[in-house]
């Protein structure tokens, strides 16, 4: 089986591809690295020297070459969907084309923390970069057989999701992929909340302030009920508050 990863720059195609190939015992091809080997130049150098048009032609040729392998994991460059030619090659590849999708804030966050130079990023005003991301979303969706949400997930989680569903991926799996991402985000927020709770506990301890602040709790419940009216039921908010404040209080009490 051929597995081809597409998606915007910074979404993790190369890292996930490498990991997937290792776990599945398949060879791994990074299309950008293949282009660098073929041209003997780094992507930014080659890109600025020959321009996007010639870059895309080489990209299409090398994609065709990479797809000659039967058992392979291929990670592509984010702009592989920019040409009709590459989109057609991908659609006719007989492989599983997986779209690694991430929100604009996830990808920019990752790109800001990476050392790899992206020619289409450097010097671009943020609104233009956002428009590029947005415009490509539809093309990735139309080209892929399966969409995996990468936000708030690590490489292993993303690879595992792919492996779990690669034989019969459905829209249902993508929705669950989204739910997993929300769960991770919620728990990451909860962990961050608890570190602030620890700081509050310390201040309460030093100033002999009671752990339980009943009026503040009632206020918070009221505010949340109002803010989420029509989206979350009062019961759910109540349960959430009981759970989260309960956890915080026992954490604070442990420290006092
Ligand atoms: C490009 C993305 C890059 C690389 C080239 C063009 C793009 O790959 O192919 O700079 O048009 O989005 P990554 O997605 O690996 O950054």
């Amino acid at each position: 089986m051929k597995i081809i990863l597409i998606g915007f720059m910074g979404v993790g195609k190369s890292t996930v591809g490498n990991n997937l190939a290792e776990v599945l015992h398949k060879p791994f091809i990074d299309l950008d690295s293949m282009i660098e080997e073929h041209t003997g130049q780094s992507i930014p150098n080659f890109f600025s020297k020959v321009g996007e048009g010639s870059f895309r032609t080489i990209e299409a040729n090398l994609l065709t070459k990479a797809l000659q392998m039967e058992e392979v994991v291929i990670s592509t460059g984010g702009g592989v969907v920019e040409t009709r030619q590459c989109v057609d090659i991908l659609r006719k590849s007989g492989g599983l084309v997986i779209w690694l999708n991430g929100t604009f804030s996830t990808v920019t966050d990752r790109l800001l923390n990476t050392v790899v130079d992206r020619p289409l990023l450097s010097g671009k005003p943020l609104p233009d970069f956002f428009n590029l991301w947005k415009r490509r979303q539809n093309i990735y969706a139309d080209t892929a057989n399966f969409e995996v949400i990468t936000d708030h997930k690590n490489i292993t989680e993303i690879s595992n999701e792919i492996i779990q569903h690669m034989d019969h991926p459905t829209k249902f799996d993508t929705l669950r992929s989204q739910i997993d991402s929300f769960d991770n985000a919620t728990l990451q927020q909860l962990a961050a909340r608890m570190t602030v709770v620890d700081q509050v506990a310390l201040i309460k301890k030093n100033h002999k302030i009671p752990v339980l602040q009943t009026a503040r709790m009632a206020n918070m419940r009221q505010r949340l009920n109002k803010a989420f009216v029509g989206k979350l039921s009062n019961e759910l908010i109540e349960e959430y508050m009981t759970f989260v404040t309960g956890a915080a209080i026992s954490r604070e009490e442990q420290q006092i």
Side-chain angles (χ1 to χ4, degrees):
M1 182 193 230
K2 295 173 217 198
I3 297 177
I4 307 120
L5 303 179
I6 64 169
F8 203 70
M9 56 187 108
V11 84
K13 301 177 297 284
S14 303
T15 328
V16 172
N18 214 335
N19 184 270
L20 260 185
E22 209 177 297
V23 177
L24 296 172
H25 306 292
K26 289 182 196 279
F28 172 60
I29 296 178
D30 182 301
L31 198 59
D32 276 350
S33 306
M34 200 175 170
I35 296 171
E36 288 184 332
E37 250 169 59
H38 179 83
T39 60
Q41 294 172 66
S42 70
I43 297 282
N45 275 350
F46 182 63
F47 206 96
S48 66
K49 205 181 275 172
V50 302
E52 185 164 357
S54 304
F55 176 85
R56 298 290 173 214
T57 306
I58 304 265
E59 188 176 44
N61 292 343
L62 293 179
L63 176 63
T64 306
K65 194 167 168 202
L67 283 165
Q68 282 165 1
M69 290 180 82
E70 270 317 313
E71 289 299 323
V72 65
V73 177
I74 302 171
S75 75
T76 58
V80 77
V81 295
E82 284 290 345
T83 59
R84 186 77 237 167
Q85 189 187 2
C86 278
V87 169
D88 284 342
I89 295 170
L90 288 170
R91 285 200 182 131
K92 291 176 188 152
S93 66
L96 177 67
V97 182
I98 301 173
W99 172 23
L100 297 188
N101 192 8
T103 58
F104 184 65
S105 86
T106 298
V107 295
T108 42
D109 219 51
R110 290 209 190 120
L111 288 168
L112 289 172
N113 285 302
T114 166
V115 286
V116 182
D117 189 9
R118 260 88 173 188
L120 285 176
L121 170 63
S122 50
K124 225 187 194 69
L126 195 63
D128 292 357
F129 195 57
F130 174 73
N131 287 335
L132 180 71
W133 173 86
K134 196 159 171 26
R135 181 172 61 74
R136 283 186 184 167
Q137 290 295 98
N138 288 335
I139 327 180
Y140 292 132
D142 286 347
T143 311
N145 310 107
F146 182 35
E147 175 190 350
V148 172
I149 308 297
T150 60
D151 306 306
H152 309 288
K153 293 180 190 164
N154 62 33
I155 302 305
T156 317
E157 287 171 310
I158 299 168
S159 289
N160 285 347
E161 258 186 54
I162 294 174
I163 292 166
Q164 198 180 342
H165 303 298
M166 64 188 201
D167 291 330
H168 301 287
T170 65
K171 175 79 190 150
F172 190 51
D173 301 322
T174 298
L175 293 174
R176 283 177 159 166
S177 177
Q178 210 169 351
I179 285 181
D180 289 350
S181 156
F182 287 135
D183 285 343
N184 283 356
T186 307
L187 290 180
Q188 280 166 20
Q189 289 287 302
L190 194 60
R193 190 189 196 280
M194 289 307 171
T195 63
V196 178
V197 164
D198 290 346
Q199 295 171 36
V200 168
L202 195 66
I203 294 173
K204 282 181 180 170
K205 183 179 162 185
N206 291 341
H207 293 81
K208 304 209 170 358
I209 301 170
V211 167
L212 217 57
Q213 300 282 316
T214 328
R216 195 186 108 76
M217 298 283 174
N219 232 315
M220 230 164 123
R221 279 173 160 80
Q222 223 177 30
R223 187 180 55 76
L224 289 173
N225 276 326
K226 214 164 135 188
F228 289 92
V229 70
K231 290 183 189 137
L232 297 172
S233 68
N234 288 1
E235 291 74 25
L236 189 74
I237 291 175
E238 186 57 40
E239 266 188 58
Y240 166 75
M241 286 305 292
T242 305
F243 157 71
V244 84
T245 54
I249 287 165
S250 73
R251 203 168 162 120
E252 284 184 28
E253 279 171 349
Q254 274 167 30
Q255 295 183 46
I256 286 179

